[in-house]
Amino acid sequence: MPAVDQRELRNILGSYATGVAVATCRDAAGQRAAMTINSFASVSLSPPRVLWSIGETSDQFAAFSEATHYAINILSDEHRALSTHFATSSPDKFAGIDSYDGIAGLPLLPDCCALLQCKIVERVRTGDHVILIGEVLDAERADRGPLIFHRSAYHALA
């Protein structure tokens, strides 16, 4: 089999439009951590489970490796700046950002399309990522348009 060019594979995968979310948690010391993600998916309705994956080279990897819970904050089309903020490395991701506490102290972001608060039930190492499978403990949604990412650019539904 010929090797797949990583840059071309990234371009091909970018052809799949996704929603944009921010995963949040508290590490073992109780410090807040967060990162922008688009690798989020439903796993099961019974029991209610979702997953997302984090790269081992992420500056947030240690925090999510220690966490017992995570939240998925599904961003609205008004959150482009928030998405960019949480995608950038920073010693304090929450500096100047409004948030409130949820289950197990999870940092939650206001005005999202939806929020899912999850307890981590399984971690699966694959390649250079770890898949975090969470059981949904609480979920809510709001009537807001979603932020979409496609071919390296943000979009909103018409």
Side-chain angles (χ1 to χ4, degrees):
M1 291 289 289
V4 176
D5 179 75
Q6 287 185 354
R7 182 69 219 163
E8 181 59 14
L9 180 58
R10 184 180 178 105
N11 291 338
I12 290 167
L13 295 174
S15 296
Y16 184 69
T18 65
V20 183
V22 172
T24 59
C25 74
R26 288 201 183 260
D27 66 14
Q31 297 300 308
R32 298 179 295 179
M35 63 186 290
T36 300
I37 65 168
N38 67 351
S39 61
F40 161 72
S42 170
V43 174
S44 170
L45 294 176
S46 181
R49 293 198 174 157
V50 297
L51 65 76
W52 70 281
S53 65
I54 183 170
E56 294 174 342
T57 60
S58 168
D59 65 343
Q60 302 297 293
F61 186 77
F64 282 97
S65 294
E66 299 170 353
T68 59
H69 294 74
Y70 65 75
I72 303 293
N73 300 263
I74 300 174
L75 301 183
S76 77
D77 54 12
E78 301 169 0
H79 285 138
R80 288 181 190 205
L82 203 58
S83 172
T84 302
H85 173 84
F86 283 110
T88 305
S89 293
S90 169
D92 182 0
K93 294 269 191 164
F94 286 89
I97 301 297
D98 288 336
S99 68
Y100 60 99
D101 288 347
I103 295 171
L106 285 169
L108 304 177
L109 303 173
D111 303 324
C112 288
C113 286
L115 293 168
L116 298 129
Q117 298 181 68
C118 306
K119 179 180 180 182
I120 298 172
V121 295
E122 191 171 352
R123 287 179 170 89
V124 179
R125 183 172 299 279
T126 182
D128 61 357
H129 278 64
V130 172
I131 299 168
L132 300 172
I133 301 171
E135 184 160 343
V136 179
L137 304 177
D138 189 58
E140 60 185 78
R141 66 184 175 97
D143 190 19
R144 299 181 186 283
L147 183 59
I148 307 295
F149 198 72
H150 179 250
R151 293 194 174 159
S152 301
Y154 293 111
H155 302 274
L157 296 178

